Amino acid sequence: METPPEPSEGEWDFYWCDVSWLRENFDHTYMDEHVRISHFRNHYELTRKNYMVKNLKRFRKQLEREAGKLEAAKCDFFPKTFEMPCEYHLFVEEFRKNPGITWIMKPVARSQGKGIFLFRRLKDIMDWRKGNAGKKLTSLEAQPARSTANPSGSHDARSSDDQKEDIPVENYVAQRYIENPYLIGGRKFDLRVYVLVMSYIPLRAWLYRDGFARFSNTRFTLSSIDDQYVHLTNVAVQKTSPDYHPKKGCKWMLQRFRQYLASKHGPEAVETLFSDMDNIFIRSLQSVQKVIISDKHCFELYGYDILIDQDLKPWLLEVNASPSLTASSQEDYELKTCLLEDTLHVVDMEARLTGREKRVGGFDLMWNDGPVSREEGPPDLSGMGNFVTNTHLGCVNDRKKQLRQLFRSLQGQKKASS
Amino acid sequence: MSYKWNHVASLQRPEIKLESLKEDIKEYFKISGWEKKLQNAVYSELSVFPSPSHPAAPPEHLKEPLVYMRKAQGSWEKRILKSLNSMCTELSIPLARKRPVGEQKELLNKWNEMGTDEPDLSLFRPVYAPKDFLEVLINLRNPNYENGDSLSFRTHLGLIQVPLKVKDIPELKEFFVELGLTTGQLGIDDSTQVPPELFENEHVRIGQKVLAEQDSAAAQQYIRQGSPTALRAELWALILNISSQPEDILYYEQLKTNVIQHDLLVDSLIYKDVKLTASNDDYYFVFEDYLYQVLLCFSRDTSVLGHFAYNSASPPKSYIRGKLGLEEYAVFYPPNGVIPFHGFSMYVAPLCFLYHEPSKLYQIFREMYVRFFFRLHSISSHPSGIVSLCLLFETLLQTYLPQLFYHLREIGAQPLRISFKWMVRAFSGYLATDQLLLLWDRILGYNSLEILAVLAAAVFAFRAVNLMEVTSLAAAEAVLADLSTLKVMPLLQIFLFATVT
């Protein structure tokens, strides 16, 4: 490999950047062909809740037109959501049709569980609408963020003090709260899954085998909707719960979760659940495919938050463009360092890969301008045709071995061709 | 087992003929599945109770035939009880008290989330820890056995100095024949590289058939090769002969009522143990609430007293206040006669992975306890008793890894000091859960705990290279601190079947 020229100030080949930097600099930064940057310019089409809903709704309508109701129903993994305040009247209509159910109000651009509250009565949000945001709002803001800075993707990086003064006029979404979440040990949890998108046009996405289930520290009950600690499973929120003991960690690796489900529901049910999750990843990416500016320099590692309900149906809660990479335990640290390492392998600055690989370390190629099949892997358990997607979420991750074999064979190929 | 009298009543119908009554009943039993249930019940009794002994043997012999063992168990029990009583006096807490109505209501409301309660447990200490128990075992001596002062190649270099018969590798190979290299195993032959047509698919199919037949004995034979994840809960229930009948659920509810009405000192010990062990575990913390629901009820379950007929231990006796020494006022304390020690809750934690309904989880744990776990903390000569397991472990190591054994002994790191805690807990909390369940499959399959000693030796064999380089007990502990990455079945197979002996 030839030695690169001495980089002058501002010159770089690879940048794992903040979204705020991106917003300010991307449009007027020249990048050489080989340069890589870790975000897409308008990633918020996927990661801001209101845009995501809009894109998904639009995509669903398009699917219904082109392929019929059955196909469109595959996009029904997102709980009914209304943007506030512009869709307020539509929301009220829906609200009245379903009296007694619980709704959750989430700010579109904040993360770590900030600013979220649950409600059942229109009165609760009418107060909010009048600018009289519920006491929950200010008391939540007053809590300092315990984990290190995690760029929230919002346009304004305000300090918590500012936020106390002026009630934010930012957008919210009102979303139907999933009242029958799957519980383990009486506790609610959500899943964090990592998806790496290398390009949108064509759509190339990789799924990481590891991930984790994040548990709420307190027992789930609908009677305490004021207790945000029960309902919000974000580790950042749990860390501030009085019950939280750092030693507990409150996370399960996905492998453990998968085994637990298999012992309770059998392997077929688990296969179905995981392929429904694949469906979520792919469709959500497809819905923004035409909107996102697909710059060849860009790639993005998304953190998907998935909630499972008692019927083993997965729901998409949100997609994070900057998933937290701080570690809450040794196991967590290993997962995240390996995740980053494998991300760099796939980005492949060293140009070692041929581009035909279906697996790199813990990443499996999930979509390559079309579904990717497992082929040489074990036969399809569901018995429905031979096609099984090339995803192994929650499965054995023997990445070290695979990487060794991969790079050895790549080296061999290079030697042979030189 | 309850009899369904309404079925029997149907035999009074006119078409029943007296001449063929015997055959008809037999036929009826077969069709209705009761024959299988009877068989399973008998099989269960056979598995649990010791084989019939000499008619003149007194009941103590059924508990433990060797006098010196009985005596040692008796003194150990006295020590535990003394410790419990002194804690009781120190803290001025009664061994048992009736809860005021307000407290009862509160507890009932909190029943499903007792883990959120954070009572002040700082003054409570576990009654004993495994290492205290180890010291007692180390000092066990058979007064009829003269070792002689001279060292020979037959001298046992380990900590246990009682002459019990333990199996050697050839005998173990015969005993564990289904774990051999040519027999398919779950935990080995279901790994990702092996195509499932070779073993796994067929094994699952057979498992489903065994469950359909509801045959305990067949299930026990089947599970020697491991249980498929999806079938495990049912298979274990079948082997342990547990079926959730309405009366079982009622019984559990009754125990729950006992917990609500009365508070026992032992409850605080249980709380403390759960908080110290299972709640801190990366995986079992989720099941904290289930652990209280099982263990608190377990303490009050007098049906557990039945197992003391074949357990060398005896339930501690306490007297109603003011009536010390008067037998009519003697009660067993705790009601089930089992005083928990540090780590006790780890017997229950892995079961939470399989059973989610409290009364079923309870039954399974209780049965596992009275069949297996009690042997891990009472002094007896039984081949699955902890003393035999320790001796088996040390003998295997000394015989087949003499260099390692000698080296560790020289640096003051007697191997048993490290492996004891693994065996007392049946490896719960040390192995990854899926591996632990594969191990416990074999405990059920072979109706023996000897596999714990074999695994312990296999672990030492696996890490022998690193262990040869350590120069202190602490360093040896460090090498063996983390077992969570170990794969149990390959280790066992290699140690038993692939090592040159």
PDB file of all heavy atoms in Angstrom, chain A residues 184-185 187 219 248 250 252-253 256 259-260 263-264 331 401, chain B residues 113 115 118 193 229-230 279 283 285-287 289 353 356 434:
ATOM      1  N   ILE A 184     -40.993 -10.172  30.806  1.00  0.00           N
ATOM      2  CA  ILE A 184     -40.147 -11.253  31.314  1.00  0.00           C
ATOM      3  C   ILE A 184     -39.892 -10.943  32.779  1.00  0.00           C
ATOM      4  O   ILE A 184     -39.419  -9.864  33.108  1.00  0.00           O
ATOM      5  CB  ILE A 184     -38.812 -11.338  30.539  1.00  0.00           C
ATOM      6  CG1 ILE A 184     -39.073 -11.719  29.087  1.00  0.00           C
ATOM      7  CG2 ILE A 184     -37.892 -12.374  31.181  1.00  0.00           C
ATOM      8  CD1 ILE A 184     -37.810 -11.895  28.262  1.00  0.00           C
ATOM      9  N   GLY A 185     -40.215 -11.897  33.640  1.00  0.00           N
ATOM     10  CA  GLY A 185     -40.061 -11.643  35.071  1.00  0.00           C
ATOM     11  C   GLY A 185     -40.930 -10.484  35.516  1.00  0.00           C
ATOM     12  O   GLY A 185     -40.596  -9.751  36.440  1.00  0.00           O
ATOM     13  N   ARG A 187     -41.360  -7.799  33.994  1.00  0.00           N
ATOM     14  CA  ARG A 187     -40.805  -6.522  33.577  1.00  0.00           C
ATOM     15  C   ARG A 187     -40.921  -6.290  32.083  1.00  0.00           C
ATOM     16  O   ARG A 187     -40.803  -7.203  31.283  1.00  0.00           O
ATOM     17  CB  ARG A 187     -39.316  -6.489  33.903  1.00  0.00           C
ATOM     18  CG  ARG A 187     -39.044  -6.384  35.370  1.00  0.00           C
ATOM     19  CD  ARG A 187     -37.563  -6.435  35.556  1.00  0.00           C
ATOM     20  NE  ARG A 187     -37.250  -7.239  36.690  1.00  0.00           N
ATOM     21  CZ  ARG A 187     -36.423  -6.840  37.651  1.00  0.00           C
ATOM     22  NH1 ARG A 187     -35.851  -5.662  37.571  1.00  0.00           N
ATOM     23  NH2 ARG A 187     -36.176  -7.626  38.657  1.00  0.00           N
ATOM     24  N   ARG A 219     -41.733  -3.243  38.000  1.00  0.00           N
ATOM     25  CA  ARG A 219     -42.686  -4.187  37.398  1.00  0.00           C
ATOM     26  C   ARG A 219     -43.724  -3.425  36.624  1.00  0.00           C
ATOM     27  O   ARG A 219     -44.185  -2.377  37.006  1.00  0.00           O
ATOM     28  CB  ARG A 219     -43.372  -4.985  38.491  1.00  0.00           C
ATOM     29  CG  ARG A 219     -42.528  -6.024  39.186  1.00  0.00           C
ATOM     30  CD  ARG A 219     -41.151  -5.669  39.323  1.00  0.00           C
ATOM     31  NE  ARG A 219     -40.357  -6.501  40.158  1.00  0.00           N
ATOM     32  CZ  ARG A 219     -39.140  -6.165  40.543  1.00  0.00           C
ATOM     33  NH1 ARG A 219     -38.619  -5.024  40.179  1.00  0.00           N
ATOM     34  NH2 ARG A 219     -38.462  -6.986  41.284  1.00  0.00           N
ATOM     35  N   LYS A 248     -26.542  -4.201  38.471  1.00  0.00           N
ATOM     36  CA  LYS A 248     -27.532  -5.042  37.826  1.00  0.00           C
ATOM     37  C   LYS A 248     -27.475  -4.948  36.321  1.00  0.00           C
ATOM     38  O   LYS A 248     -27.757  -5.889  35.627  1.00  0.00           O
ATOM     39  CB  LYS A 248     -28.933  -4.654  38.308  1.00  0.00           C
ATOM     40  CG  LYS A 248     -29.286  -5.245  39.632  1.00  0.00           C
ATOM     41  CD  LYS A 248     -30.767  -5.020  39.905  1.00  0.00           C
ATOM     42  CE  LYS A 248     -31.046  -5.095  41.384  1.00  0.00           C
ATOM     43  NZ  LYS A 248     -32.320  -4.499  41.733  1.00  0.00           N
ATOM     44  N   CYS A 250     -29.274  -4.439  34.024  1.00  0.00           N
ATOM     45  CA  CYS A 250     -30.602  -4.572  33.408  1.00  0.00           C
ATOM     46  C   CYS A 250     -30.608  -4.773  31.907  1.00  0.00           C
ATOM     47  O   CYS A 250     -31.482  -4.274  31.218  1.00  0.00           O
ATOM     48  CB  CYS A 250     -31.565  -3.478  33.840  1.00  0.00           C
ATOM     49  SG  CYS A 250     -31.096  -1.792  33.438  1.00  0.00           S
ATOM     50  N   TRP A 252     -30.059  -7.866  28.784  1.00  0.00           N
ATOM     51  CA  TRP A 252     -29.788  -9.248  28.388  1.00  0.00           C
ATOM     52  C   TRP A 252     -29.253  -9.213  26.978  1.00  0.00           C
ATOM     53  O   TRP A 252     -29.818  -8.552  26.116  1.00  0.00           O
ATOM     54  CB  TRP A 252     -31.094 -10.047  28.366  1.00  0.00           C
ATOM     55  CG  TRP A 252     -31.448 -10.795  29.593  1.00  0.00           C
ATOM     56  CD1 TRP A 252     -30.931 -10.650  30.839  1.00  0.00           C
ATOM     57  CD2 TRP A 252     -32.443 -11.819  29.693  1.00  0.00           C
ATOM     58  NE1 TRP A 252     -31.538 -11.521  31.698  1.00  0.00           N
ATOM     59  CE2 TRP A 252     -32.468 -12.254  31.034  1.00  0.00           C
ATOM     60  CE3 TRP A 252     -33.313 -12.424  28.781  1.00  0.00           C
ATOM     61  CZ2 TRP A 252     -33.321 -13.262  31.479  1.00  0.00           C
ATOM     62  CZ3 TRP A 252     -34.161 -13.413  29.233  1.00  0.00           C
ATOM     63  CH2 TRP A 252     -34.159 -13.828  30.567  1.00  0.00           C
ATOM     64  N   MET A 253     -28.230  -9.982  26.701  1.00  0.00           N
ATOM     65  CA  MET A 253     -27.772 -10.083  25.312  1.00  0.00           C
ATOM     66  C   MET A 253     -28.875 -10.786  24.509  1.00  0.00           C
ATOM     67  O   MET A 253     -29.623 -11.615  25.043  1.00  0.00           O
ATOM     68  CB  MET A 253     -26.482 -10.898  25.238  1.00  0.00           C
ATOM     69  CG  MET A 253     -25.292 -10.182  25.832  1.00  0.00           C
ATOM     70  SD  MET A 253     -24.833  -8.718  24.877  1.00  0.00           S
ATOM     71  CE  MET A 253     -24.854  -7.486  26.139  1.00  0.00           C
ATOM     72  N   ARG A 256     -29.316 -14.600  24.713  1.00  0.00           N
ATOM     73  CA  ARG A 256     -30.023 -15.102  25.886  1.00  0.00           C
ATOM     74  C   ARG A 256     -31.512 -14.937  25.688  1.00  0.00           C
ATOM     75  O   ARG A 256     -32.316 -15.814  25.998  1.00  0.00           O
ATOM     76  CB  ARG A 256     -29.570 -14.319  27.123  1.00  0.00           C
ATOM     77  CG  ARG A 256     -30.109 -14.841  28.412  1.00  0.00           C
ATOM     78  CD  ARG A 256     -29.527 -16.186  28.742  1.00  0.00           C
ATOM     79  NE  ARG A 256     -28.129 -16.121  29.039  1.00  0.00           N
ATOM     80  CZ  ARG A 256     -27.191 -16.813  28.394  1.00  0.00           C
ATOM     81  NH1 ARG A 256     -27.496 -17.637  27.433  1.00  0.00           N
ATOM     82  NH2 ARG A 256     -25.934 -16.705  28.735  1.00  0.00           N
ATOM     83  N   GLN A 259     -32.894 -17.501  23.267  1.00  0.00           N
ATOM     84  CA  GLN A 259     -32.999 -18.828  23.887  1.00  0.00           C
ATOM     85  C   GLN A 259     -34.188 -18.904  24.838  1.00  0.00           C
ATOM     86  O   GLN A 259     -34.891 -19.899  24.901  1.00  0.00           O
ATOM     87  CB  GLN A 259     -31.741 -19.119  24.709  1.00  0.00           C
ATOM     88  CG  GLN A 259     -30.648 -19.744  23.910  1.00  0.00           C
ATOM     89  CD  GLN A 259     -29.338 -19.690  24.650  1.00  0.00           C
ATOM     90  OE1 GLN A 259     -29.282 -19.358  25.839  1.00  0.00           O
ATOM     91  NE2 GLN A 259     -28.275 -20.006  23.980  1.00  0.00           N
ATOM     92  N   TYR A 260     -34.373 -17.833  25.606  1.00  0.00           N
ATOM     93  CA  TYR A 260     -35.491 -17.795  26.545  1.00  0.00           C
ATOM     94  C   TYR A 260     -36.813 -17.961  25.812  1.00  0.00           C
ATOM     95  O   TYR A 260     -37.666 -18.754  26.195  1.00  0.00           O
ATOM     96  CB  TYR A 260     -35.463 -16.468  27.304  1.00  0.00           C
ATOM     97  CG  TYR A 260     -36.614 -16.298  28.258  1.00  0.00           C
ATOM     98  CD1 TYR A 260     -36.524 -16.751  29.561  1.00  0.00           C
ATOM     99  CD2 TYR A 260     -37.788 -15.688  27.852  1.00  0.00           C
ATOM    100  CE1 TYR A 260     -37.585 -16.598  30.437  1.00  0.00           C
ATOM    101  CE2 TYR A 260     -38.848 -15.538  28.719  1.00  0.00           C
ATOM    102  CZ  TYR A 260     -38.744 -15.995  30.020  1.00  0.00           C
ATOM    103  OH  TYR A 260     -39.792 -15.856  30.879  1.00  0.00           O
ATOM    104  N   SER A 263     -37.314 -21.485  24.469  1.00  0.00           N
ATOM    105  CA  SER A 263     -37.699 -22.507  25.442  1.00  0.00           C
ATOM    106  C   SER A 263     -39.142 -22.320  25.855  1.00  0.00           C
ATOM    107  O   SER A 263     -39.788 -23.254  26.300  1.00  0.00           O
ATOM    108  CB  SER A 263     -36.781 -22.466  26.665  1.00  0.00           C
ATOM    109  OG  SER A 263     -37.053 -21.334  27.438  1.00  0.00           O
ATOM    110  N   LYS A 264     -39.666 -21.113  25.677  1.00  0.00           N
ATOM    111  CA  LYS A 264     -41.042 -20.892  26.082  1.00  0.00           C
ATOM    112  C   LYS A 264     -42.034 -21.110  24.941  1.00  0.00           C
ATOM    113  O   LYS A 264     -43.126 -21.626  25.155  1.00  0.00           O
ATOM    114  CB  LYS A 264     -41.179 -19.468  26.610  1.00  0.00           C
ATOM    115  CG  LYS A 264     -42.421 -19.282  27.415  1.00  0.00           C
ATOM    116  CD  LYS A 264     -42.419 -17.938  28.125  1.00  0.00           C
ATOM    117  CE  LYS A 264     -43.776 -17.735  28.794  1.00  0.00           C
ATOM    118  NZ  LYS A 264     -44.010 -16.362  29.197  1.00  0.00           N
ATOM    119  N   GLU A 331     -19.675  -6.820  29.410  1.00  0.00           N
ATOM    120  CA  GLU A 331     -20.286  -7.495  28.272  1.00  0.00           C
ATOM    121  C   GLU A 331     -20.696  -6.480  27.223  1.00  0.00           C
ATOM    122  O   GLU A 331     -20.496  -6.675  26.022  1.00  0.00           O
ATOM    123  CB  GLU A 331     -21.530  -8.224  28.788  1.00  0.00           C
ATOM    124  CG  GLU A 331     -21.955  -9.396  27.986  1.00  0.00           C
ATOM    125  CD  GLU A 331     -23.128 -10.097  28.654  1.00  0.00           C
ATOM    126  OE1 GLU A 331     -23.951  -9.418  29.283  1.00  0.00           O
ATOM    127  OE2 GLU A 331     -23.190 -11.316  28.522  1.00  0.00           O
ATOM    128  N   LYS A 401     -13.479 -15.926  14.442  1.00  0.00           N
ATOM    129  CA  LYS A 401     -13.132 -17.036  13.555  1.00  0.00           C
ATOM    130  C   LYS A 401     -13.450 -16.659  12.119  1.00  0.00           C
ATOM    131  O   LYS A 401     -12.651 -16.869  11.211  1.00  0.00           O
ATOM    132  CB  LYS A 401     -13.954 -18.256  13.989  1.00  0.00           C
ATOM    133  CG  LYS A 401     -13.611 -19.526  13.272  1.00  0.00           C
ATOM    134  CD  LYS A 401     -14.198 -20.708  14.031  1.00  0.00           C
ATOM    135  CE  LYS A 401     -14.557 -21.813  13.055  1.00  0.00           C
ATOM    136  NZ  LYS A 401     -15.530 -22.714  13.581  1.00  0.00           N
TER     137      LYS A 401
ATOM    138  N   GLU B 113     -44.165  -8.346  43.276  1.00  0.00           N
ATOM    139  CA  GLU B 113     -42.991  -7.493  43.107  1.00  0.00           C
ATOM    140  C   GLU B 113     -42.280  -7.297  44.428  1.00  0.00           C
ATOM    141  O   GLU B 113     -41.924  -6.188  44.795  1.00  0.00           O
ATOM    142  CB  GLU B 113     -43.401  -6.156  42.518  1.00  0.00           C
ATOM    143  CG  GLU B 113     -44.707  -5.622  43.079  1.00  0.00           C
ATOM    144  CD  GLU B 113     -45.049  -4.276  42.498  1.00  0.00           C
ATOM    145  OE1 GLU B 113     -45.231  -4.207  41.278  1.00  0.00           O
ATOM    146  OE2 GLU B 113     -45.109  -3.321  43.284  1.00  0.00           O
ATOM    147  N   GLY B 115     -39.457  -7.907  45.086  1.00  0.00           N
ATOM    148  CA  GLY B 115     -38.092  -7.443  44.870  1.00  0.00           C
ATOM    149  C   GLY B 115     -37.943  -5.953  45.052  1.00  0.00           C
ATOM    150  O   GLY B 115     -36.853  -5.439  45.292  1.00  0.00           O
ATOM    151  N   GLU B 118     -37.120  -2.980  49.927  1.00  0.00           N
ATOM    152  CA  GLU B 118     -35.710  -2.954  50.296  1.00  0.00           C
ATOM    153  C   GLU B 118     -35.596  -2.893  51.813  1.00  0.00           C
ATOM    154  O   GLU B 118     -35.249  -1.868  52.373  1.00  0.00           O
ATOM    155  CB  GLU B 118     -35.014  -1.732  49.678  1.00  0.00           C
ATOM    156  CG  GLU B 118     -35.030  -1.718  48.164  1.00  0.00           C
ATOM    157  CD  GLU B 118     -33.792  -2.380  47.576  1.00  0.00           C
ATOM    158  OE1 GLU B 118     -32.861  -2.655  48.338  1.00  0.00           O
ATOM    159  OE2 GLU B 118     -33.773  -2.590  46.369  1.00  0.00           O
ATOM    160  N   GLN B 193     -22.162 -25.719  12.900  1.00  0.00           N
ATOM    161  CA  GLN B 193     -21.484 -26.323  11.746  1.00  0.00           C
ATOM    162  C   GLN B 193     -22.051 -27.677  11.362  1.00  0.00           C
ATOM    163  O   GLN B 193     -21.790 -28.181  10.282  1.00  0.00           O
ATOM    164  CB  GLN B 193     -19.980 -26.503  12.005  1.00  0.00           C
ATOM    165  CG  GLN B 193     -19.230 -25.210  12.187  1.00  0.00           C
ATOM    166  CD  GLN B 193     -19.150 -24.802  13.642  1.00  0.00           C
ATOM    167  OE1 GLN B 193     -19.910 -25.299  14.476  1.00  0.00           O
ATOM    168  NE2 GLN B 193     -18.244 -23.910  13.947  1.00  0.00           N
ATOM    169  N   THR B 229     -34.326 -27.308  23.386  1.00  0.00           N
ATOM    170  CA  THR B 229     -34.783 -26.167  24.188  1.00  0.00           C
ATOM    171  C   THR B 229     -36.293 -26.119  24.337  1.00  0.00           C
ATOM    172  O   THR B 229     -36.817 -25.885  25.419  1.00  0.00           O
ATOM    173  CB  THR B 229     -34.315 -24.862  23.521  1.00  0.00           C
ATOM    174  OG1 THR B 229     -32.995 -25.031  23.084  1.00  0.00           O
ATOM    175  CG2 THR B 229     -34.383 -23.720  24.493  1.00  0.00           C
ATOM    176  N   ALA B 230     -37.004 -26.349  23.234  1.00  0.00           N
ATOM    177  CA  ALA B 230     -38.452 -26.180  23.284  1.00  0.00           C
ATOM    178  C   ALA B 230     -39.150 -27.261  24.099  1.00  0.00           C
ATOM    179  O   ALA B 230     -40.258 -27.065  24.569  1.00  0.00           O
ATOM    180  CB  ALA B 230     -39.013 -26.165  21.873  1.00  0.00           C
ATOM    181  N   SER B 279     -29.897 -11.485  42.413  1.00  0.00           N
ATOM    182  CA  SER B 279     -30.156 -10.129  41.918  1.00  0.00           C
ATOM    183  C   SER B 279     -28.940  -9.496  41.285  1.00  0.00           C
ATOM    184  O   SER B 279     -29.066  -8.574  40.491  1.00  0.00           O
ATOM    185  CB  SER B 279     -30.611  -9.220  43.053  1.00  0.00           C
ATOM    186  OG  SER B 279     -31.780  -9.699  43.590  1.00  0.00           O
ATOM    187  N   TYR B 283     -27.984 -12.310  34.423  1.00  0.00           N
ATOM    188  CA  TYR B 283     -29.148 -12.869  33.749  1.00  0.00           C
ATOM    189  C   TYR B 283     -30.299 -13.189  34.659  1.00  0.00           C
ATOM    190  O   TYR B 283     -31.440 -13.055  34.295  1.00  0.00           O
ATOM    191  CB  TYR B 283     -28.754 -14.091  32.903  1.00  0.00           C
ATOM    192  CG  TYR B 283     -28.003 -13.610  31.710  1.00  0.00           C
ATOM    193  CD1 TYR B 283     -26.616 -13.634  31.673  1.00  0.00           C
ATOM    194  CD2 TYR B 283     -28.684 -13.004  30.667  1.00  0.00           C
ATOM    195  CE1 TYR B 283     -25.936 -13.100  30.606  1.00  0.00           C
ATOM    196  CE2 TYR B 283     -28.000 -12.464  29.596  1.00  0.00           C
ATOM    197  CZ  TYR B 283     -26.631 -12.513  29.559  1.00  0.00           C
ATOM    198  OH  TYR B 283     -25.956 -11.981  28.512  1.00  0.00           O
ATOM    199  N   PHE B 285     -31.214 -11.660  37.399  1.00  0.00           N
ATOM    200  CA  PHE B 285     -31.817 -10.532  38.120  1.00  0.00           C
ATOM    201  C   PHE B 285     -33.277 -10.337  37.729  1.00  0.00           C
ATOM    202  O   PHE B 285     -34.099  -9.926  38.529  1.00  0.00           O
ATOM    203  CB  PHE B 285     -31.026  -9.249  37.868  1.00  0.00           C
ATOM    204  CG  PHE B 285     -31.213  -8.682  36.480  1.00  0.00           C
ATOM    205  CD1 PHE B 285     -32.256  -7.803  36.212  1.00  0.00           C
ATOM    206  CD2 PHE B 285     -30.361  -9.036  35.453  1.00  0.00           C
ATOM    207  CE1 PHE B 285     -32.434  -7.285  34.936  1.00  0.00           C
ATOM    208  CE2 PHE B 285     -30.534  -8.524  34.183  1.00  0.00           C
ATOM    209  CZ  PHE B 285     -31.577  -7.643  33.926  1.00  0.00           C
ATOM    210  N   VAL B 286     -33.585 -10.683  36.473  1.00  0.00           N
ATOM    211  CA  VAL B 286     -34.941 -10.480  35.974  1.00  0.00           C
ATOM    212  C   VAL B 286     -35.967 -11.295  36.758  1.00  0.00           C
ATOM    213  O   VAL B 286     -37.111 -10.915  36.917  1.00  0.00           O
ATOM    214  CB  VAL B 286     -34.992 -10.881  34.480  1.00  0.00           C
ATOM    215  CG1 VAL B 286     -36.403 -11.109  34.020  1.00  0.00           C
ATOM    216  CG2 VAL B 286     -34.342  -9.830  33.646  1.00  0.00           C
ATOM    217  N   PHE B 287     -35.523 -12.429  37.302  1.00  0.00           N
ATOM    218  CA  PHE B 287     -36.452 -13.358  37.951  1.00  0.00           C
ATOM    219  C   PHE B 287     -36.531 -13.177  39.454  1.00  0.00           C
ATOM    220  O   PHE B 287     -37.082 -14.022  40.149  1.00  0.00           O
ATOM    221  CB  PHE B 287     -36.041 -14.794  37.636  1.00  0.00           C
ATOM    222  CG  PHE B 287     -35.979 -15.095  36.164  1.00  0.00           C
ATOM    223  CD1 PHE B 287     -34.799 -15.526  35.590  1.00  0.00           C
ATOM    224  CD2 PHE B 287     -37.083 -14.921  35.358  1.00  0.00           C
ATOM    225  CE1 PHE B 287     -34.725 -15.797  34.229  1.00  0.00           C
ATOM    226  CE2 PHE B 287     -37.030 -15.191  33.995  1.00  0.00           C
ATOM    227  CZ  PHE B 287     -35.848 -15.629  33.439  1.00  0.00           C
ATOM    228  N   ASP B 289     -38.316 -11.597  41.544  1.00  0.00           N
ATOM    229  CA  ASP B 289     -39.604 -11.741  42.218  1.00  0.00           C
ATOM    230  C   ASP B 289     -40.037 -13.195  42.313  1.00  0.00           C
ATOM    231  O   ASP B 289     -40.582 -13.628  43.329  1.00  0.00           O
ATOM    232  CB  ASP B 289     -40.679 -10.942  41.476  1.00  0.00           C
ATOM    233  CG  ASP B 289     -40.370  -9.463  41.475  1.00  0.00           C
ATOM    234  OD1 ASP B 289     -39.806  -8.987  42.479  1.00  0.00           O
ATOM    235  OD2 ASP B 289     -40.665  -8.796  40.475  1.00  0.00           O
ATOM    236  N   PHE B 353     -36.053 -19.936  34.006  1.00  0.00           N
ATOM    237  CA  PHE B 353     -35.935 -19.873  32.559  1.00  0.00           C
ATOM    238  C   PHE B 353     -36.969 -20.753  31.890  1.00  0.00           C
ATOM    239  O   PHE B 353     -37.352 -20.537  30.745  1.00  0.00           O
ATOM    240  CB  PHE B 353     -34.537 -20.378  32.172  1.00  0.00           C
ATOM    241  CG  PHE B 353     -33.803 -19.435  31.306  1.00  0.00           C
ATOM    242  CD1 PHE B 353     -33.314 -18.258  31.845  1.00  0.00           C
ATOM    243  CD2 PHE B 353     -33.598 -19.675  29.975  1.00  0.00           C
ATOM    244  CE1 PHE B 353     -32.618 -17.360  31.060  1.00  0.00           C
ATOM    245  CE2 PHE B 353     -32.914 -18.775  29.185  1.00  0.00           C
ATOM    246  CZ  PHE B 353     -32.422 -17.628  29.723  1.00  0.00           C
ATOM    247  N   HIS B 356     -42.876 -20.540  34.146  1.00  0.00           N
ATOM    248  CA  HIS B 356     -43.284 -19.159  34.378  1.00  0.00           C
ATOM    249  C   HIS B 356     -44.486 -19.063  35.275  1.00  0.00           C
ATOM    250  O   HIS B 356     -44.824 -17.999  35.747  1.00  0.00           O
ATOM    251  CB  HIS B 356     -43.564 -18.506  33.028  1.00  0.00           C
ATOM    252  CG  HIS B 356     -42.492 -18.862  32.041  1.00  0.00           C
ATOM    253  ND1 HIS B 356     -41.283 -18.237  32.004  1.00  0.00           N
ATOM    254  CD2 HIS B 356     -42.421 -19.835  31.118  1.00  0.00           C
ATOM    255  CE1 HIS B 356     -40.524 -18.808  31.076  1.00  0.00           C
ATOM    256  NE2 HIS B 356     -41.185 -19.770  30.532  1.00  0.00           N
ATOM    257  N   ASP B 434     -27.563 -21.679  29.179  1.00  0.00           N
ATOM    258  CA  ASP B 434     -27.870 -22.785  28.267  1.00  0.00           C
ATOM    259  C   ASP B 434     -26.984 -23.990  28.574  1.00  0.00           C
ATOM    260  O   ASP B 434     -27.427 -25.135  28.499  1.00  0.00           O
ATOM    261  CB  ASP B 434     -27.722 -22.356  26.801  1.00  0.00           C
ATOM    262  CG  ASP B 434     -26.318 -21.890  26.463  1.00  0.00           C
ATOM    263  OD1 ASP B 434     -25.705 -21.198  27.312  1.00  0.00           O
ATOM    264  OD2 ASP B 434     -25.821 -22.202  25.379  1.00  0.00           O
TER     265      ASP B 434
END
